[in-house]
Amino acid sequence: MIESLLPASVHSAEVFGDVRPDHVFPEEEALVAKAVPKRRREFATVRACAREALGRLGVPAAPILPGVRGAPGWPAGVVGSMTHCDGYRAAAVASDRECAAVGVDAEPHGPLPEGVLEAVSIPPERSRIDRLAAGHPAVRWDRLLFSAKESVYKAWFPMTRRPLGFEDADIDFDPLRGRFTARLLVPGHTLSDGRRVEGFTGRWLAGPDIVITAIALGAPGAA
C-alpha cells in the first residue's frame, strides 16, 4: 500500500501484523527489554521493515535507535520514517541525495476519540473536514487529518531539528486525487540550494482498516 504513495527514489517495506525478525541488534533489544510483549513485537517488526527498505537502498543493516524527540537514527546519508498501528508496520527510506525529508504515518481507519480533533486541528481544518465528511462519508477525515499531521512532523523535525505543534500546519485534502497540502504556520526552512520550505505536499490512501499518509521532499539538486 505505502509504495503507491511514494516516488521511485523512496524505498519502502510494510507488514500486516508482526513477524519474527531474523535479527534484532542488542542496542535495540535493550530499549524495550522491560516493555510489554506487544510493544516489543511492534518495535522489532517495524525495524525489520526498515532494514528491508534499507537493503533495497543498498545500505547494510544497522541498529536503528531513537534520537532526539524519538526520531529514528538512520545510517549516514539516509533519510526516512517509520510507522506502526494495530495490524500494520511500515518504513520508508531514501538517499539524502534524492530526498531532503520523508514522513509516513498509518492510523486505524476509525473515528478519533472524543475531543482529539479539537486538540490537533485549527478551525479552518475542522470546517473543511465537515464538508469532506458530508461529500465523501466513506473516509474518516478526522483520522486522516491526524495522520497527515504526523507525517508532516516526521518530515519536518529530522530536517530542521525544530519542534512543530499540531496547530502549526494547516492541512487541506484533495478528495479526488488522493493528495494533500500542508501550509506551515511557522517560519519555514531554507535548504542548501536556497529553496524555501514553507509547506509540504503529500499523498493519502484510505483502506478498509487503515489510513496512510506520506510525504517525500526532493533534495537540493535532485531531479
Side-chain angles (χ1 to χ4, degrees):
M1 294 178 70
I2 199 169
E3 182 180 8
S4 68
L5 302 180
L6 294 163
S9 58
V10 181
H11 297 265
S12 62
E14 63 187 357
V15 171
F16 293 85
D18 286 313
V19 299
R20 184 182 296 276
D22 294 333
H23 178 69
V24 178
F25 284 88
E27 303 97 310
E28 296 171 333
E29 184 67 29
L31 293 173
V32 291
K34 297 181 180 179
V36 298
K38 179 179 182 297
R39 169 60 179 152
R40 296 180 68 178
R41 288 193 300 270
E42 68 185 18
F43 182 93
T45 299
V46 76
R47 278 160 175 76
C49 290
R51 279 188 268 279
E52 181 179 342
L54 287 168
R56 294 174 181 172
L57 190 61
V59 177
I64 304 169
L65 307 177
V68 178
R69 293 181 177 263
W74 298 106
V78 174
V79 296
S81 181
M82 298 189 294
T83 185
H84 57 79
C85 67
D86 285 346
Y88 184 79
R89 319 334 183 172
V93 298
S95 165
D96 63 5
R97 297 186 301 274
E98 296 289 339
C99 288
V102 174
V104 298
D105 186 74
E107 301 290 335
H109 193 185
L112 286 173
E114 185 176 352
V116 173
L117 178 62
E118 290 72 19
V120 303
S121 63
I122 58 177
E125 291 173 324
R126 293 196 288 275
S127 296
R128 291 194 291 268
I129 290 296
D130 287 343
R131 292 195 295 272
L132 286 166
H136 305 271
V139 177
R140 290 299 321 196
W141 296 99
D142 55 345
R143 183 72 72 165
L144 194 65
L145 177 66
F146 180 84
S147 179
K149 296 262 184 174
E150 289 289 303
S151 283
V152 167
Y153 180 83
K154 291 177 181 182
W156 171 260
F157 181 76
M159 179 176 64
T160 66
R161 288 296 190 263
R162 288 162 49 192
L164 192 74
F166 285 113
E167 73 282 0
D168 293 333
D170 184 5
I171 293 176
D172 191 9
F173 292 101
D174 182 333
L176 301 180
R177 299 175 63 209
R179 299 180 183 274
F180 68 90
T181 59
R183 180 173 61 91
L184 295 175
L185 304 179
V186 296
H189 175 72
T190 303
L191 299 177
S192 61
D193 62 353
R195 184 167 32 127
R196 190 73 175 163
V197 179
E198 303 285 359
F200 298 97
T201 60
R203 301 182 68 188
W204 63 268
L205 180 65
D209 300 315
I210 60 172
V211 296
I212 306 175
T213 55
I215 293 168
L217 177 67

